Amino acid sequence: MRYVVNPTMKGAYIHPEVYGNFSEHLGRCIYDGIYVGENSKIPNVNGMRTDIVEALRRMKLPVLRWPGGCFADEYHWRDGIGPKESRKKMINTHWGGVVEDNSFGTHEFFELCRQIGCQPYINGNVGSGTVQEMQEWIEYMNSPAISPMANLRRANGQDEPWGLKYFAVGNENWGCGGNMTAEHYADEFRRYATYVRNYTDQKVYKIACGPGQHPYYAWTRTLMEQAGHMMNGLSLHYYTVPGSDWRHKGSATDFTVDEYLLTLAKAHYMEKLVQDTGSVMDLYDPDANIGLIVDEWGTWFDVEPGTNPGFLYQQSTMRDALVAGISLNIFNKAARRVHMANIAQLINVLQAVILTDGDRMLLTPTYHVFEMFKEHQGAHLVESAISAPYYERTDVAPAAASRGRRAPLAPYRTPYITESASVADDGSITVTICNLSPDTAAPIEMRLDAVSARLKEARILTGDMHDKNEFDTPDTVRPVTFDGVRVEAAVNGTEVTYTLPACSVAVLRFEA
Ligand code: AHR
């Protein structure tokens, strides 16, 4: 297959935040997964698991969203500050009906982000909160002045404001965040956002709730028309669900070739969503100043047998690695409009990058894809194209239909090879490429046009589509050196040839 990359044709900046993650008070994501408390036998710093923090630093996690999700629209931030013994205990009604003791709150979240070295992204409560509550949370986090909330923060041990940048005004307000119409939410967004004040030069980047079920484009249009002037970003949620409806989503580990390919084709539907949503946004914001923030995406399967259905714990295989590779390549290519994305979720929930079991942890195939793609962060997209055959299905509807309004049958069409390429400020070139085929290797003839390049790194993640990491065998799926990449100087360019094995994700890096 012929593949052309043109590193001299520089496109949009790839915001590092596109490689973000999402963490919710859901199942074992926060408690157990991240936060074990200072007195735990599991090695920790201020209650945060050391093994997890180190892994996330290696992955170069740029931004983390918290505290939800649906949980965010029932979260009252004052429950999670002050002495831990007097924090309110409550039932997590959305997720598993377990006791939430609020021992992980605002201070702990900022401490986690400090340890990881990532940007915090906080989701505010519109569904069951008040304007005053949201205004005071922002004041608590960002005000350097003498003021009631800043004084309360100081009394709780944090003198300096944290200077939060990313803040979402509600979550899924068409659903669990209040079941609002687009018109009603647009009014609410403007009212709440008015009081999300800037206390310092660090302006708050305000994210409005965008679409997450059909009809995607009507919601987007209303929000852009009626509230576009007050937002910096608009969210979009899309989950890859191979099953026919939300009660039969399909197993995470036991699937047929047909289900494998359908899952990847459904993941690839993201391309259409971001392009079409972007086109609607272009009508109101032609220079793409407002970011499309894909702050929930990833696979959603049936929970692992024997686990709490409300905890959304699922295993992760090479199929998930392909979903991650497909999606991240799509986001790179849509860099002009997609300014942040957050996979759901960080640990032990949905398409997690890490799973834990007591003091043990493992990196999922999805983790490795994020780590392999990390050099795209902060680089510029470059022109690239490959001619590859397509896999197509026109007989299935998005599973989201059964949660919301009726959806039309979706045409799921995905090339067997997906790719993207970028150039960093120091001139180094990163190419990431996936072969979706379950059984056929792809011979690639790649041309790096108009540059003379030297191979710096070639790594590959590959295996059977069912391969996964388990606690006793945590390294079954891991990136290895990609042997057999041949690089030859050519007239006005560099020719690179290699054979991409079936079911694989590869990264190639060059010095120009
Ligand atoms: O990620 C799980 C849930 O999916 C989130 O809480 C919600 O926003 C979405 O419906």
Side-chain angles (χ1 to χ4, degrees), residues 50-99:
T50 314
D51 53 353
I52 302 294
V53 169
E54 281 172 1
L56 296 174
R57 289 180 72 86
R58 283 199 301 279
M59 195 180 88
K60 213 173 148 193
L61 180 69
V63 64
L64 185 61
R65 177 176 180 238
W66 174 84
C70 294
F71 184 82
D73 274 284
E74 278 198 275
Y75 183 64
H76 301 285
W77 66 273
R78 280 175 187 256
D79 296 345
I81 57 169
K84 293 203 176 171
E85 51 294 355
S86 50
R87 292 190 193 175
K88 225 186 233 175
K89 290 191 175 39
M90 60 197 249
I91 298 295
N92 188 333
T93 46
H94 266 294
W95 305 118
V98 290
V99 174

Short mmCIF file of all heavy atoms in Angstrom, two decimals, residues 50-99:
data_model
loop_
_atom_site.label_atom_id
_atom_site.label_comp_id
_atom_site.label_asym_id
_atom_site.label_seq_id
_atom_site.Cartn_x
_atom_site.Cartn_y
_atom_site.Cartn_z
N THR A 50 1.63 5.45 44.50
CA THR A 50 2.87 5.82 43.82
C THR A 50 2.99 5.13 42.47
O THR A 50 3.43 5.73 41.49
CB THR A 50 4.07 5.41 44.70
OG1 THR A 50 3.79 5.85 46.03
CG2 THR A 50 5.36 6.04 44.23
N ASP A 51 2.59 3.83 42.41
CA ASP A 51 2.72 3.10 41.14
C ASP A 51 1.88 3.73 40.04
O ASP A 51 2.30 3.84 38.88
CB ASP A 51 2.38 1.60 41.32
CG ASP A 51 1.01 1.36 41.97
OD1 ASP A 51 0.37 2.33 42.41
OD2 ASP A 51 0.57 0.19 42.02
N ILE A 52 0.69 4.20 40.41
CA ILE A 52 -0.22 4.80 39.42
C ILE A 52 0.33 6.15 38.96
O ILE A 52 0.36 6.45 37.75
CB ILE A 52 -1.63 5.00 40.05
CG1 ILE A 52 -2.21 3.67 40.54
CG2 ILE A 52 -2.55 5.72 39.09
CD1 ILE A 52 -2.51 2.67 39.49
N VAL A 53 0.75 6.95 39.92
CA VAL A 53 1.27 8.29 39.57
C VAL A 53 2.47 8.14 38.64
O VAL A 53 2.57 8.84 37.62
CB VAL A 53 1.62 9.09 40.85
CG1 VAL A 53 2.40 10.35 40.50
CG2 VAL A 53 0.34 9.44 41.61
N GLU A 54 3.36 7.20 38.96
CA GLU A 54 4.55 7.03 38.11
C GLU A 54 4.16 6.59 36.70
O GLU A 54 4.71 7.09 35.71
CB GLU A 54 5.51 6.01 38.73
CG GLU A 54 6.32 6.63 39.86
CD GLU A 54 7.13 5.62 40.63
OE1 GLU A 54 7.07 4.42 40.29
OE2 GLU A 54 7.79 6.03 41.60
N ALA A 55 3.21 5.67 36.60
CA ALA A 55 2.79 5.20 35.27
C ALA A 55 2.16 6.34 34.46
O ALA A 55 2.40 6.48 33.26
CB ALA A 55 1.80 4.05 35.41
N LEU A 56 1.39 7.18 35.13
CA LEU A 56 0.73 8.28 34.40
C LEU A 56 1.73 9.35 33.99
O LEU A 56 1.59 9.98 32.94
CB LEU A 56 -0.40 8.87 35.25
CG LEU A 56 -1.55 7.88 35.53
CD1 LEU A 56 -2.56 8.48 36.49
CD2 LEU A 56 -2.24 7.46 34.23
N ARG A 57 2.78 9.51 34.78
CA ARG A 57 3.85 10.45 34.38
C ARG A 57 4.58 9.91 33.14
O ARG A 57 4.88 10.66 32.22
CB ARG A 57 4.85 10.66 35.52
CG ARG A 57 4.28 11.46 36.68
CD ARG A 57 5.32 11.63 37.78
NE ARG A 57 6.37 12.54 37.37
CZ ARG A 57 6.31 13.86 37.52
NH1 ARG A 57 5.26 14.41 38.09
NH2 ARG A 57 7.30 14.62 37.13
N ARG A 58 4.82 8.60 33.12
CA ARG A 58 5.51 8.00 31.96
C ARG A 58 4.66 8.14 30.69
O ARG A 58 5.17 8.30 29.60
CB ARG A 58 5.79 6.51 32.20
CG ARG A 58 6.95 6.20 33.12
CD ARG A 58 7.43 4.76 32.93
NE ARG A 58 6.42 3.75 33.16
CZ ARG A 58 6.05 3.30 34.35
NH1 ARG A 58 6.62 3.78 35.45
NH2 ARG A 58 5.12 2.38 34.48
N MET A 59 3.35 8.08 30.87
CA MET A 59 2.44 8.19 29.73
C MET A 59 2.30 9.65 29.28
O MET A 59 1.73 9.95 28.27
CB MET A 59 1.07 7.66 30.17
CG MET A 59 0.09 7.36 29.10
SD MET A 59 -1.46 6.75 29.82
CE MET A 59 -2.34 8.26 30.12
N LYS A 60 2.81 10.55 30.13
CA LYS A 60 2.75 12.00 29.88
C LYS A 60 1.30 12.49 29.87
O LYS A 60 0.90 13.21 28.94
CB LYS A 60 3.45 12.32 28.55
CG LYS A 60 4.16 13.65 28.50
CD LYS A 60 4.95 13.78 27.22
CE LYS A 60 5.02 15.21 26.75
NZ LYS A 60 5.51 15.34 25.38
N LEU A 61 0.54 12.05 30.87
CA LEU A 61 -0.87 12.46 30.93
C LEU A 61 -0.96 13.99 31.02
O LEU A 61 -0.44 14.58 31.95
CB LEU A 61 -1.55 11.82 32.15
CG LEU A 61 -3.02 12.19 32.32
CD1 LEU A 61 -3.86 11.57 31.22
CD2 LEU A 61 -3.55 11.77 33.69
N PRO A 62 -1.63 14.64 30.07
CA PRO A 62 -1.63 16.11 30.07
C PRO A 62 -2.76 16.75 30.88
O PRO A 62 -2.61 17.86 31.38
CB PRO A 62 -1.80 16.46 28.59
CG PRO A 62 -2.56 15.30 28.03
CD PRO A 62 -2.21 14.09 28.83
N VAL A 63 -3.91 16.07 30.97
CA VAL A 63 -5.06 16.68 31.64
C VAL A 63 -5.97 15.58 32.18
O VAL A 63 -6.09 14.51 31.57
CB VAL A 63 -5.83 17.62 30.66
CG1 VAL A 63 -6.44 16.87 29.49
CG2 VAL A 63 -6.91 18.43 31.37
N LEU A 64 -6.59 15.87 33.32
CA LEU A 64 -7.48 14.88 33.94
C LEU A 64 -8.79 15.54 34.34
O LEU A 64 -8.80 16.56 35.01
CB LEU A 64 -6.79 14.28 35.19
CG LEU A 64 -7.53 13.15 35.89
CD1 LEU A 64 -7.71 11.94 34.95
CD2 LEU A 64 -6.75 12.70 37.13
N ARG A 65 -9.89 14.95 33.88
CA ARG A 65 -11.23 15.48 34.18
C ARG A 65 -11.78 14.79 35.43
O ARG A 65 -11.60 13.58 35.62
CB ARG A 65 -12.15 15.22 32.98
CG ARG A 65 -13.59 15.64 33.16
CD ARG A 65 -14.36 15.42 31.87
NE ARG A 65 -15.74 15.81 31.98
CZ ARG A 65 -16.78 15.00 31.75
NH1 ARG A 65 -16.57 13.73 31.41
NH2 ARG A 65 -18.01 15.46 31.86
N TRP A 66 -12.53 15.53 36.25
CA TRP A 66 -13.04 15.06 37.54
C TRP A 66 -14.16 16.00 37.98
O TRP A 66 -14.10 17.17 37.58
CB TRP A 66 -11.87 15.08 38.56
CG TRP A 66 -12.26 14.76 39.97
CD1 TRP A 66 -12.40 13.54 40.55
CD2 TRP A 66 -12.55 15.72 41.00
NE1 TRP A 66 -12.77 13.69 41.87
CE2 TRP A 66 -12.86 15.01 42.17
CE3 TRP A 66 -12.59 17.13 41.06
CZ2 TRP A 66 -13.21 15.63 43.37
CZ3 TRP A 66 -12.94 17.75 42.24
CH2 TRP A 66 -13.24 17.01 43.39
N PRO A 67 -15.16 15.68 38.77
CA PRO A 67 -15.40 14.41 39.48
C PRO A 67 -16.38 13.50 38.73
O PRO A 67 -16.68 12.43 39.19
CB PRO A 67 -16.04 14.88 40.79
CG PRO A 67 -16.82 16.11 40.41
CD PRO A 67 -16.02 16.77 39.30
N GLY A 68 -16.91 13.89 37.61
CA GLY A 68 -17.80 13.08 36.77
C GLY A 68 -17.93 13.84 35.47
O GLY A 68 -17.34 14.92 35.33
N GLY A 69 -18.73 13.34 34.60
CA GLY A 69 -19.74 12.34 34.54
C GLY A 69 -21.04 12.72 35.29
O GLY A 69 -21.24 13.83 35.78
N CYS A 70 -21.91 11.73 35.23
CA CYS A 70 -23.20 11.91 35.90
C CYS A 70 -23.01 12.28 37.37
O CYS A 70 -23.82 12.99 37.95
CB CYS A 70 -24.01 10.62 35.77
SG CYS A 70 -24.49 10.25 34.07
N PHE A 71 -21.92 11.81 37.98
CA PHE A 71 -21.67 12.11 39.38
C PHE A 71 -21.52 13.63 39.59
O PHE A 71 -21.89 14.15 40.63
CB PHE A 71 -20.40 11.38 39.85
CG PHE A 71 -20.09 11.55 41.30
CD1 PHE A 71 -20.71 10.77 42.26
CD2 PHE A 71 -19.15 12.49 41.72
CE1 PHE A 71 -20.43 10.94 43.61
CE2 PHE A 71 -18.86 12.67 43.06
CZ PHE A 71 -19.50 11.88 44.01
N ALA A 72 -20.98 14.31 38.58
CA ALA A 72 -20.69 15.75 38.73
C ALA A 72 -21.96 16.55 38.99
O ALA A 72 -21.94 17.53 39.73
CB ALA A 72 -19.98 16.28 37.48
N ASP A 73 -23.06 16.14 38.36
CA ASP A 73 -24.29 16.91 38.51
C ASP A 73 -25.04 16.57 39.79
O ASP A 73 -26.17 17.01 40.00
CB ASP A 73 -25.16 16.79 37.26
CG ASP A 73 -24.76 17.83 36.22
OD1 ASP A 73 -25.12 19.00 36.39
OD2 ASP A 73 -24.05 17.47 35.27
N GLU A 74 -24.41 15.74 40.64
CA GLU A 74 -24.96 15.50 41.97
C GLU A 74 -23.92 15.80 43.04
O GLU A 74 -24.10 15.51 44.21
CB GLU A 74 -25.43 14.05 42.10
CG GLU A 74 -26.79 13.84 41.50
CD GLU A 74 -27.46 12.57 41.99
OE1 GLU A 74 -27.17 11.53 41.40
OE2 GLU A 74 -28.23 12.62 42.96
N TYR A 75 -22.77 16.34 42.60
CA TYR A 75 -21.66 16.56 43.52
C TYR A 75 -21.73 17.96 44.09
O TYR A 75 -21.86 18.94 43.35
CB TYR A 75 -20.34 16.36 42.77
CG TYR A 75 -19.13 16.49 43.67
CD1 TYR A 75 -18.90 15.60 44.71
CD2 TYR A 75 -18.21 17.53 43.48
CE1 TYR A 75 -17.79 15.72 45.53
CE2 TYR A 75 -17.10 17.66 44.30
CZ TYR A 75 -16.90 16.75 45.32
OH TYR A 75 -15.79 16.87 46.14
N HIS A 76 -21.62 18.03 45.41
CA HIS A 76 -21.62 19.33 46.09
C HIS A 76 -20.25 19.49 46.73
O HIS A 76 -19.91 18.78 47.68
CB HIS A 76 -22.77 19.40 47.09
CG HIS A 76 -24.09 19.20 46.42
ND1 HIS A 76 -24.69 20.19 45.66
CD2 HIS A 76 -24.88 18.11 46.32
CE1 HIS A 76 -25.81 19.71 45.13
NE2 HIS A 76 -25.95 18.46 45.51
N TRP A 77 -19.47 20.40 46.19
CA TRP A 77 -18.04 20.45 46.49
C TRP A 77 -17.74 20.67 47.96
O TRP A 77 -16.70 20.20 48.45
CB TRP A 77 -17.36 21.52 45.62
CG TRP A 77 -17.78 22.94 45.91
CD1 TRP A 77 -18.83 23.61 45.39
CD2 TRP A 77 -17.12 23.84 46.80
NE1 TRP A 77 -18.89 24.88 45.88
CE2 TRP A 77 -17.84 25.05 46.75
CE3 TRP A 77 -15.99 23.76 47.63
CZ2 TRP A 77 -17.47 26.17 47.51
CZ3 TRP A 77 -15.63 24.88 48.38
CH2 TRP A 77 -16.37 26.06 48.32
N ARG A 78 -18.64 21.34 48.68
CA ARG A 78 -18.36 21.60 50.09
C ARG A 78 -18.34 20.31 50.92
O ARG A 78 -17.80 20.27 52.01
CB ARG A 78 -19.38 22.57 50.68
CG ARG A 78 -19.09 24.01 50.32
CD ARG A 78 -20.25 24.85 50.84
NE ARG A 78 -20.13 26.21 50.42
CZ ARG A 78 -19.74 27.20 51.22
NH1 ARG A 78 -19.40 26.97 52.46
NH2 ARG A 78 -19.69 28.43 50.76
N ASP A 79 -18.99 19.25 50.38
CA ASP A 79 -18.96 17.96 51.09
C ASP A 79 -17.55 17.37 51.11
O ASP A 79 -17.26 16.47 51.91
CB ASP A 79 -19.89 16.93 50.39
CG ASP A 79 -21.34 17.36 50.43
OD1 ASP A 79 -21.67 18.27 51.22
OD2 ASP A 79 -22.14 16.78 49.67
N GLY A 80 -16.70 17.84 50.22
CA GLY A 80 -15.38 17.22 50.06
C GLY A 80 -14.23 18.10 50.49
O GLY A 80 -13.12 17.98 49.95
N ILE A 81 -14.47 19.03 51.42
CA ILE A 81 -13.36 19.85 51.95
C ILE A 81 -13.38 19.78 53.48
O ILE A 81 -14.35 19.33 54.07
CB ILE A 81 -13.45 21.33 51.49
CG1 ILE A 81 -14.78 21.95 51.91
CG2 ILE A 81 -13.23 21.45 49.98
CD1 ILE A 81 -14.83 23.47 51.73
N GLY A 82 -12.30 20.25 54.10
CA GLY A 82 -12.23 20.27 55.56
C GLY A 82 -11.77 18.95 56.12
O GLY A 82 -11.42 18.02 55.38
N PRO A 83 -11.77 18.83 57.47
CA PRO A 83 -11.28 17.60 58.12
C PRO A 83 -12.03 16.38 57.60
O PRO A 83 -13.26 16.38 57.53
CB PRO A 83 -11.58 17.84 59.60
CG PRO A 83 -11.79 19.31 59.73
CD PRO A 83 -12.26 19.83 58.41
N LYS A 84 -11.27 15.33 57.27
CA LYS A 84 -11.91 14.17 56.63
C LYS A 84 -12.95 13.50 57.51
O LYS A 84 -13.98 13.03 57.03
CB LYS A 84 -10.85 13.15 56.22
CG LYS A 84 -9.98 13.72 55.13
CD LYS A 84 -9.29 12.71 54.30
CE LYS A 84 -8.58 13.51 53.22
NZ LYS A 84 -7.68 12.85 52.39
N GLU A 85 -12.68 13.50 58.85
CA GLU A 85 -13.61 12.78 59.73
C GLU A 85 -14.97 13.45 59.77
O GLU A 85 -15.98 12.82 60.06
CB GLU A 85 -13.01 12.56 61.12
CG GLU A 85 -12.43 13.70 61.90
CD GLU A 85 -11.15 14.37 61.35
OE1 GLU A 85 -10.58 13.90 60.34
OE2 GLU A 85 -10.78 15.39 61.92
N SER A 86 -15.01 14.76 59.44
CA SER A 86 -16.34 15.40 59.49
C SER A 86 -16.94 15.58 58.10
O SER A 86 -17.97 16.24 57.95
CB SER A 86 -16.23 16.74 60.23
OG SER A 86 -15.18 17.49 59.71
N ARG A 87 -16.32 14.99 57.08
CA ARG A 87 -16.93 15.11 55.75
C ARG A 87 -18.17 14.22 55.65
O ARG A 87 -18.20 13.12 56.21
CB ARG A 87 -15.92 14.73 54.66
CG ARG A 87 -14.79 15.75 54.56
CD ARG A 87 -13.94 15.51 53.36
NE ARG A 87 -12.70 16.30 53.45
CZ ARG A 87 -11.71 16.24 52.58
NH1 ARG A 87 -11.79 15.42 51.54
NH2 ARG A 87 -10.64 16.98 52.74
N LYS A 88 -19.13 14.72 54.90
CA LYS A 88 -20.42 14.04 54.76
C LYS A 88 -20.28 12.67 54.09
O LYS A 88 -19.58 12.56 53.08
CB LYS A 88 -21.29 14.91 53.88
CG LYS A 88 -22.68 15.10 54.36
CD LYS A 88 -23.44 15.86 53.28
CE LYS A 88 -24.11 17.07 53.87
NZ LYS A 88 -24.74 17.88 52.84
N LYS A 89 -20.97 11.69 54.61
CA LYS A 89 -21.04 10.40 53.92
C LYS A 89 -22.37 10.37 53.16
O LYS A 89 -23.37 10.85 53.67
CB LYS A 89 -20.98 9.25 54.91
CG LYS A 89 -19.62 9.10 55.57
CD LYS A 89 -19.55 7.78 56.32
CE LYS A 89 -18.18 7.50 56.92
NZ LYS A 89 -17.47 8.64 57.49
N MET A 90 -22.35 9.81 52.00
CA MET A 90 -23.58 9.76 51.20
C MET A 90 -23.58 8.51 50.32
O MET A 90 -22.57 7.82 50.23
CB MET A 90 -23.67 11.00 50.32
CG MET A 90 -22.49 11.12 49.37
SD MET A 90 -22.30 12.76 48.69
CE MET A 90 -22.74 12.44 46.98
N ILE A 91 -24.71 8.25 49.70
CA ILE A 91 -24.78 7.10 48.79
C ILE A 91 -24.53 7.60 47.37
O ILE A 91 -25.11 8.60 46.94
CB ILE A 91 -26.18 6.43 48.86
CG1 ILE A 91 -26.45 5.90 50.28
CG2 ILE A 91 -26.30 5.30 47.84
CD1 ILE A 91 -25.54 4.77 50.73
N ASN A 92 -23.67 6.89 46.69
CA ASN A 92 -23.42 7.22 45.28
C ASN A 92 -24.56 6.60 44.47
O ASN A 92 -24.51 5.44 44.07
CB ASN A 92 -22.05 6.68 44.85
CG ASN A 92 -21.64 7.15 43.46
OD1 ASN A 92 -22.49 7.45 42.62
ND2 ASN A 92 -20.35 7.22 43.23
N THR A 93 -25.60 7.40 44.27
CA THR A 93 -26.83 6.87 43.68
C THR A 93 -26.66 6.45 42.22
O THR A 93 -27.33 5.54 41.75
CB THR A 93 -27.96 7.91 43.75
OG1 THR A 93 -27.42 9.16 43.33
CG2 THR A 93 -28.52 8.03 45.14
N HIS A 94 -25.77 7.12 41.51
CA HIS A 94 -25.58 6.78 40.10
C HIS A 94 -24.84 5.47 39.93
O HIS A 94 -25.13 4.68 39.03
CB HIS A 94 -24.78 7.87 39.39
CG HIS A 94 -25.65 8.87 38.74
ND1 HIS A 94 -26.46 8.55 37.68
CD2 HIS A 94 -25.86 10.17 39.02
CE1 HIS A 94 -27.13 9.62 37.33
NE2 HIS A 94 -26.79 10.61 38.12
N TRP A 95 -23.84 5.26 40.77
CA TRP A 95 -22.88 4.20 40.49
C TRP A 95 -22.76 3.21 41.64
O TRP A 95 -21.97 3.42 42.57
CB TRP A 95 -21.51 4.79 40.13
CG TRP A 95 -21.60 5.77 39.00
CD1 TRP A 95 -21.29 7.10 39.04
CD2 TRP A 95 -22.02 5.50 37.65
NE1 TRP A 95 -21.49 7.67 37.81
CE2 TRP A 95 -21.94 6.71 36.94
CE3 TRP A 95 -22.46 4.35 36.98
CZ2 TRP A 95 -22.29 6.81 35.59
CZ3 TRP A 95 -22.82 4.45 35.64
CH2 TRP A 95 -22.72 5.66 34.96
N GLY A 96 -23.57 2.16 41.60
CA GLY A 96 -23.39 1.02 42.49
C GLY A 96 -23.99 1.16 43.86
O GLY A 96 -23.95 0.21 44.65
N GLY A 97 -24.57 2.32 44.20
CA GLY A 97 -25.22 2.50 45.50
C GLY A 97 -24.29 2.33 46.69
O GLY A 97 -24.72 1.95 47.77
N VAL A 98 -23.00 2.62 46.50
CA VAL A 98 -22.04 2.43 47.60
C VAL A 98 -21.86 3.74 48.38
O VAL A 98 -22.28 4.81 47.92
CB VAL A 98 -20.67 1.95 47.07
CG1 VAL A 98 -20.74 0.54 46.55
CG2 VAL A 98 -20.16 2.90 45.97
N VAL A 99 -21.24 3.63 49.57
CA VAL A 99 -21.06 4.83 50.39
C VAL A 99 -19.89 5.64 49.84
O VAL A 99 -18.81 5.13 49.59
CB VAL A 99 -20.79 4.44 51.87
CG1 VAL A 99 -20.44 5.69 52.69
CG2 VAL A 99 -22.00 3.73 52.44
#
